[in-house]
């Protein structure tokens, strides 16, 4: 009997349906809306952290790369300064030996010219290498009027010959061999000295060209790569600090990008909880926008001031399912709520040192000039959507001062232009709704702007 | 077997899509409200339990792997929420004095003649301890071991409370029949 009794209860009550109050969904939906917001916030926090991490990593990597570049340059300079000393010593020794041989040969044969010409065969190591480096050795044997032999000896040097031949004072060479020997000695000694100096310059240039291909070329501007080292250094030095840029104190930034606007309601009076639930379940955030034109005035050191005009558009989707009676179909009402603002940012900016890639931290107040709204919201008493236009507009025309903080990553494109990526955070302290409205509504925005910077020359 | 639309609704609700969640609520809330009413003392408590149940359902929906009846999964979760609510309220076992009630000899077909509302009324009139055990055993199909675990009581207590619940229901039916005659 018991089993039969259980069976009857199970069959009749197992699928028993009881009517549900319509407002029960509102509380559940409000809870879900809060969770959705929380989930979005977590995602934003995660993506922001990731972006900051990537930017920080890029900055550190770039700084390390620059340090390596500087070290390489220092090494080159050291090598250039050290090498000639040894070379000079070797060359001088070699030349002295050759000259001694020349003396002996001249004493025996009297064929100074031909013998000294042999001397020139002992030089070519230096001459040839000098010739390979740069043709500036033209000057090396010049102005040695008494050294006819030296002039002839320099026949193997392609350029010096023409220059040294200008002297045209070689007539007395055969009659004064001893003078010529001393003249040759002096001349070659001077030649050695001059040549070494020339070689030093030539090697400097050679070292610069030889080392450049090993540098991280993509990081150098085309101008810096094209120019010799010293000039390239000047170019980079100019860009290194604004204080060194001879009065280029103004920059123009043009920025735009998407943002997430987080809507926060504050209930002043518990009796309006229905209103809170109605708005929480009917409004969902959409992608908002930020765009702005800023002018920066650079102060001394890393500081600068930035101001301009900022346009902010906060977007929320309004959704409401309207059902007049259970027999009628549900009507889905959808609209896009927009809060548009014009603002003036007053930002102090601190730029971290860098070459082509620079980071700057900006922070400061943003003054609201005008605020307009359009869209709809749910009125819980009537359970119908109302327009934000006209007398039923619950929003202020000016939301006062907000606060902005951002991180600007600038990559120098050359010609005074930079590519900007700027994660931005903006917080509005004042409620967007009028004091007479029962619900406070505040926002904060997190956005990512991309833009261009031009330095005014 | 799930219909495609229901599967889509579940998938949508898993992604916290508001429209899918609303559709699931519209579809299953009356059945689950019936469950809540059987476990709660009054309608207000049942509504609270239903609200809490749906919040739990949407939070735990990712655990549903489309094996078995979705409605059965929802009911089981709702019953657990209702039982948790019962435990939080620290219900003390009510003594109804049924020990003195003699074994009924009523006609079992008498229950069959009653409608859903009347049977529901009978169940709702049971003392809470009996009602919980009767609901879990007779309607949901739980074993005494499961009931004992769910309510934190001994299996023997579950058995005795079920017996007493049946006796009480039988007596109430007989009383109703006597009044009707």
């Amino acid at each position: 009997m018991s089993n039969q009794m259980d069976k009857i209860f199970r069959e009749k009550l197992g699928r028993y349906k009881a009517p549900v109050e319509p407002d029960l969904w509102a509380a559940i939906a409000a809870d879900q809306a809060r969770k959705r917001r929380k989930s979005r916030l977590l995602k934003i926090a995660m993506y922001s952290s990731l972006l900051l991490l990537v930017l920080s990593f890029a900055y550190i990597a770039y700084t390390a790369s620059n340090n390596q570049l500087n070290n390489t340059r220092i090494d080159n300079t050291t090598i250039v300064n050290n090498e000639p000393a040894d070379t000079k010593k070797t060359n001088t020794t070699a030349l002295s030996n050759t000259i001694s041989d020349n003396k002996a040969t001249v004493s025996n044969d009297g064929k100074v010219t031909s013998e000294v010409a042999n001397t020139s065969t002992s030089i070519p190591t230096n001459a040839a290498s000098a010739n390979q480096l740069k043709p500036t050795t033209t000057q090396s044997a010049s102005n040695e009027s008494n050294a006819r032999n030296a002039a002839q000896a320099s026949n193997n040097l392609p350029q010096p010959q023409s220059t040294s031949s200008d002297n045209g004072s070689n007539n007395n060479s055969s009659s004064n061999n001893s003078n010529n020997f001393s003249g040759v000695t002096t001349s070659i000694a001077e030649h050695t000295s001059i040549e070494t100096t020339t070689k030093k310059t030539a090697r400097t240039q050679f070292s610069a060209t030889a080392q450049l291909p090993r540098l991280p070329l993509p990081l150098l501007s085309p101008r810096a790569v094209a120019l010799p080292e010293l000039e390239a250094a000047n170019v980079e030095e100019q860009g290194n600090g604004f204080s060194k840029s001879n009065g280029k104190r103004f920059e123009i930034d043009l920025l735009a990008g998407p943002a997430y606007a987080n809507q926060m309601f504050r209930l002043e009076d518990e009796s309006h909880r229905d209103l809170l639930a109605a708005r929480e379940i009917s409004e969902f955030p959409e992608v908002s926008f930020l765009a702005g034109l800023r002018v920066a005035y650079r102060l001394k050191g890393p500081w600068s001031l930035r101001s301009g005009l900022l346009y902010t558009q906060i977007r929320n989707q309004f959704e409401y399912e309207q059902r007049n009676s259970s027999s009628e179909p549900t009507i889905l009402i959808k609209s896009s709520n927009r809060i548009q603002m014009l603002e003036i940012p007053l930002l102090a900016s601190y730029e971290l040192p860098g070459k082509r890639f620079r980071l700057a931290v900006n922070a400061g107040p943003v003054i609201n000039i005008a605020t307009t709204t359009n869209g709809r919201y749910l009125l819980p008493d009537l359970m119908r959507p109302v327009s934000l236009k006209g007398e039923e507009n619950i929003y202020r025309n000016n939301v006062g001062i907000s606060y902005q903080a951002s991180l600007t990553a600038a990559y120098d494109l050359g010609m005074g232009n930079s590519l900007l990526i700027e994660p931005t955070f903006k917080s509005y302290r004042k409620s967007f709704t009028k004091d007479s409205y029962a619900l406070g509504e505040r926002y904060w925005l997190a956005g990512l702007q991309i833009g261009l910077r031009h330095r005014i020359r | 077997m799930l219909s495609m639309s229901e599967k889509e609704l579940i998938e949508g609700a898993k992604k916290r899509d508001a429209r899918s969640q609303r559709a699931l609520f519209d579809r299953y809330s009356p059945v689950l409200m019936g469950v809540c009413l059987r476990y709660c003392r009054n309608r207000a408590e049942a509504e609270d339990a239903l609200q809490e149940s749906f919040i739990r359902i949407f939070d735990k929906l990712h655990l549903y792997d489309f094996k078995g009846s979705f409605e059965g999964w929802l009911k089981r979760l709702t019953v657990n929420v209702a039982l948790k609510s019962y435990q939080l309220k620290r219900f003390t076992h009510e003594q109804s004095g049924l020990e003195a009630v003699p074994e009924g000899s009523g006609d079992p077909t008498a229950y069959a003649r009653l409608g859903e509302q009347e049977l529901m009324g009978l169940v709702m009139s049971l003392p809470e301890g009996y009602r919980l055990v009767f609901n879990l055993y007779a309607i949901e199909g739980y074993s005494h071991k499961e009931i004992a675990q769910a309510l934190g009581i001994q299996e023997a207590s579950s058995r005795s409370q079920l017996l007493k619940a049946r006796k009480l229901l039988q007596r109430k039916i007989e009383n109703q029949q006597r009044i009707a005659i």
Side-chain angles (χ1 to χ4, degrees), chain A residues 167-405:
Chain A
N167 297 322
S169 56
N170 301 327
N171 299 330
N172 302 322
S173 59
S174 60
S175 59
N176 298 314
N177 279 340
S178 59
N179 290 339
N180 282 341
F181 292 141
S182 61
V184 166
T185 311
T186 313
S187 164
I188 290 177
E190 286 178 15
H191 166 81
T192 309
S193 171
I194 291 163
E195 189 183 25
T196 310
T197 313
T198 312
K199 203 182 295 170
K200 184 178 173 180
T201 313
R203 276 175 189 268
T204 306
Q205 290 165 356
F206 179 74
S207 301
T209 25
Q211 293 296 328
L212 274 174
R214 282 191 276 153
L215 300 176
L217 280 175
L219 298 175
L220 291 171
S221 66
R223 196 177 162 202
V225 173
L227 293 173
E229 185 182 21
L230 291 173
E231 209 167 334
N234 286 338
V235 169
E236 290 190 347
E237 199 167 323
Q238 278 180 8
N240 198 16
F242 195 82
S243 55
K244 296 172 185 174
S245 60
N246 302 324
K248 295 171 193 169
R249 290 195 172 273
F250 287 98
E251 290 174 346
I252 296 177
D253 296 352
L254 184 64
L255 290 156
Y260 167 77
N262 190 60
Q263 189 183 38
M264 294 174 291
F265 291 112
R266 189 166 57 187
L267 194 62
E268 305 293 347
D269 184 356
E270 276 296 317
S271 63
H272 293 100
R273 186 157 284 281
D274 287 350
L275 175 64
L276 174 67
R279 294 208 57 192
E280 276 186 340
I281 62 168
S282 61
E283 292 174 32
F284 307 97
E286 284 186 302
V287 177
S288 299
F289 293 104
L290 292 168
L293 184 71
R294 285 190 315 218
V295 176
Y297 178 76
R298 305 203 67 165
L299 306 170
K300 282 188 176 178
W303 290 96
S304 57
L305 295 174
R306 297 184 188 277
S307 185
L309 202 59
L310 182 65
Y311 170 76
T312 307
Q313 188 184 85
I314 295 173
R315 288 157 62 96
N316 288 311
Q317 183 168 303
F318 173 79
E319 265 188 38
Y320 175 63
E321 288 175 349
Q322 196 165 25
R323 188 187 291 173
N324 294 329
S325 68
S326 57
S327 58
E328 288 181 20
T330 304
I331 304 165
L332 180 66
I333 299 170
K334 271 172 96 170
S335 70
S336 187
N337 289 354
R338 288 176 191 166
I339 304 172
Q340 298 171 98
M341 289 173 284
L342 272 181
E343 296 162 310
I344 297 175
L346 297 171
L347 305 176
S349 181
Y350 181 87
E351 190 171 85
L352 300 172
K355 300 237 171 183
R356 298 201 68 200
F357 180 75
R358 292 179 215 175
L359 285 178
V361 182
N362 318 302
V366 179
I367 301 163
N368 187 275
I369 305 170
T371 304
T372 60
T373 49
N374 56 42
R376 287 192 273 195
Y377 70 100
L378 195 61
L379 208 59
D381 297 338
L382 305 172
M383 281 312 276
R384 65 171 178 85
V386 290
S387 171
L388 284 168
K389 285 181 180 172
E391 290 181 1
E392 285 177 321
N393 187 8
I394 52 171
Y395 289 97
R396 297 172 192 274
N397 294 324
N398 191 311
V399 293
I401 294 175
S402 59
Y403 295 94
Q404 185 178 355

Side-chain angles (χ1 to χ4, degrees), chain B residues 84-104:
Chain B
K84 194 178 173 188
S85 164
Y86 151 78
Q87 284 172 339
L88 284 174
K89 283 166 189 163
R90 295 181 179 277
F91 169 73
T92 50
H93 292 268
E94 292 176 27
Q95 297 299 314
S96 62
L98 284 178
E99 288 75 9
V101 177
E103 179 75 34

